[in-house]
Amino acid sequence: MALPKRIIKETERLMAEPVPGISAVPHEENLRYFDVTIDGPSSSPYEGGTFKLELFLPDDYPMTPPKVRFLTKIYHPNIDRLGRICLDVLKSNWSPALQIRTILLSIQALLGAPNPDDPLANDVAQRWKEDEKAAIQTAREWTAEHAKKA
Amino acid sequence: MERPERRELMFCHLCENEWYRDEHGLACPQQGCGSDFTEIIEEDHDPRAEEDAPPSIEHMLRNNPHIWGPPADPDEGDISAVQYHTGSPFGGGGHSFTYTSTSPMPQNRNQSPFGTGMPRAGVDEGIASNFFHMITGLINGAGRNNQNPQPQNPMGNTTGGAGFSRMPPNAGPGDGGFRFHYHTNTFVHPHGPQPNADGGFNDMQNVFETLMQNMAPPPPGHPAFGQDQHAGHFADPFATPFGPPGGGGMPGGPFANLLSALINPTNAAHGDAVYTQEAFDRVVTQLMEQNQRSNAPPRATDEDIASIPRVKVNKSMLGDSGSATCGICIDDATIGDEVMKLPCGHWYHEDCIAPWLRQSDSCPVCRKDHNGNVTNHNSSNPNSSGGGDAANAPPNPTGMPSPHNLNPNAGGHFAFPGPFGGPAFAFPGSPTGQQQPQPPQQPPQGGFFGFTPGAPGGFPATGRYPGQGAAGSAFTGSQTYPRFQYQQPSSSSASPSPWPSAAGGMPGAFPGGAGAAEQGQGQSQGQQQDGALSQSTGVGSASGGPSQGIGERVRGMFRRASDRDRELQQQQQQDRDRERDGAA
């Protein structure tokens, strides 16, 4: 199947005008598969961490959202222990007007604004609600442990 | 000649009452009992003597609600000695089975059944032991013709180290019995009859066994099962635990499936039941994927789409900058192009927007439907204020945390007004409504697999589910989550992937794989780049510095990809030609 022009364009733009704190590089053998890194937003418990993700553009992209998942362990109420992300725009609120770039920005924003009321990782969310300070501390520790900059 | 009449003695498994069938029938006549769970006592099959044998599911359900109850202490599974001799209630001949697993030391605990969320190479003991139980079940099924009763194994065993030891039946070939010994530690065991009600672990094992027994027919045509007594035949499954299913002399059919399911932890599913955390995660992921559009706006009908006006792009549509792109294909539009203009004012190529509207009747940019109404099926919120401003939609009037609210602006965090060249989105930085709830997709903590609806616990894995909060989670020692499986080269669509639909996508997209890439590279010399690429040539080099390398690299990839596409098209053309020729 041909690689749609849109994917080519998006990729080129990602390369040419990278978003600060975010990188997405396609795999040579599969241009629909991207290695992604997202820097933890400043003044969040993820600050100073660089998180690896994988992103895959399905065949019917952009009619269906990209599949994105954290590879780096992260302590976050909306990211489960498999790295799956609970984010509306990756699911029912997807729109073909969104792009890789916008999705990754959304994810970065999600790091800066965890939402324990809409949890994917129940235990994390519960802790977040019960003892936010401790949860944030754990998130910080995990960041230091797993998401150190190379 | 008539069979000599004999009074049949009945036995109630619930109250242990006994009576004659011709007097009281099949149901238990005991006052207050009335159970149907009764059995005819036969000469070679006396349930009264078998109270130590694993009870049937019904029995367990009645007498031991604990198995569906709260999670059993998983460590109970570590210390288990199951004396399992069938004959009844499953109707088999006498087969003795001894499963012994002892882990007196804490460090051994992570080896116990399903103790690790991600079983890795080296047969996980949990898998192996489950596997063993099922094998036994199957063999019992297969051996039903064999009515020779087998005495219980009276021995104590001393074995060193972990592993299977297959002991030849002490009565020698032909006595109709099988005996398995599965040991995981150095221990001396007096194998007396053991009470079997020590928690969910054994019971669940037995549930499995029973189910499998009922489910799987005897594997036909395999001499190792049911007839041949040489223990060596059983070496096959264990000698190559990760071999291909069906290989190693294994029969096809349910047994092979079961075997492959069991020995491959990433694919440990059988029907609705899964046996490993990984398999469970895959099921959950699949469910999440299937439902991800469940809250999206409804589809537009073809009539709806036909009713949308087609217009020619004019100067005013291009805006002040004089250039605009279709928000879906991100191609530049030029004056005179025919586009579809939605009532909200956003316009797209028909080929771009029609497929989307068929899937979701909403403007990709502002999410208003083809009538210009805000698509918000949670709170019908008609909003006729047309125009292309994505940011002026009112917040969700329900005032709720807006689960599944389709109004992108309800949470105030996402606005993506078009054209895509510019800063098309904004994050006000307010955490409110950052994201909207999804359906409760988290597997119930401790809940593990499919056939215990609403019943967390019971299964041996329960409680070992590597919690995210726990420091010693399944990922201990690994800094990253495992990647998609489709990343592996030469992975076929059959290979399991955490994202099933994604896995299907890759092989189709690049049928040639890496080999084709090389080929394409060679052929690309002298070939013209396609239009889109030549347009954008220079973007990478213009930025200079390190990104130039990346730009070059990416363009190289595209070249190769487009070559591959071309190649593929040629091939398809050739195929078509050949088909035509064949038809002619």
Side-chain angles (χ1 to χ4, degrees), chain B residues 83-85 94-99 132 136 139-140 149-155 157 165-172 175-182 191 229-231 234:
Chain B
Q83 267 283 341
Y84 181 22
H85 29 267
H95 306 294
S96 163
F97 171 57
T98 308
Y99 166 68
F132 233 99
T136 317
I139 289 163
N140 286 331
Q150 169 76 15
Q152 291 178 25
N153 176 12
M155 322 184 323
N157 294 304
S165 64
R166 292 177 303 274
M167 306 185 62
N170 45 5
D175 75 341
F178 302 111
R179 208 165 290 147
F180 287 108
H181 296 269
Y182 171 53
H191 283 161
Q229 260 45 170
H230 291 290
F234 293 98

Side-chain angles (χ1 to χ4, degrees), chain B residues 1-6:
Chain B
M1 188 169 103
E2 217 168 307
R3 208 169 139 233
E5 214 39 66
R6 184 171 63 90

Side-chain angles (χ1 to χ4, degrees), chain B residues 6 9-13 16-18 39-53 85-92 149 152:
Chain B
R6 184 171 63 90
L9 188 63
M10 298 295 298
F11 174 75
C12 173
H13 283 267
E16 302 187 9
N17 183 27
E18 290 168 31
E39 194 174 350
I40 300 170
I41 298 172
E42 290 166 15
E43 213 170 306
D44 56 345
H45 179 181
D46 189 341
R48 290 169 297 184
E50 287 167 345
E51 284 303 281
D52 290 332
H85 29 267
T86 47
S88 70
F90 310 125
Q152 291 178 25

Side-chain angles (χ1 to χ4, degrees), chain B residues 242-302:
Chain B
F242 286 100
M250 298 311 295
F255 185 71
N257 293 341
L258 186 60
L259 189 63
S260 69
L262 283 167
I263 59 187
N264 179 4
T266 62
N267 189 28
H270 192 91
D272 285 342
V274 295
Y275 309 121
T276 66
Q277 184 62 53
E278 249 177 291
F280 178 76
D281 286 332
R282 190 165 317 106
V283 170
V284 172
T285 306
Q286 200 171 356
L287 289 173
M288 288 165 70
E289 301 255 315
Q290 281 167 356
N291 292 326
Q292 62 176 263
R293 288 212 55 81
S294 58
N295 297 296
R299 303 150 191 268
T301 63
D302 285 346

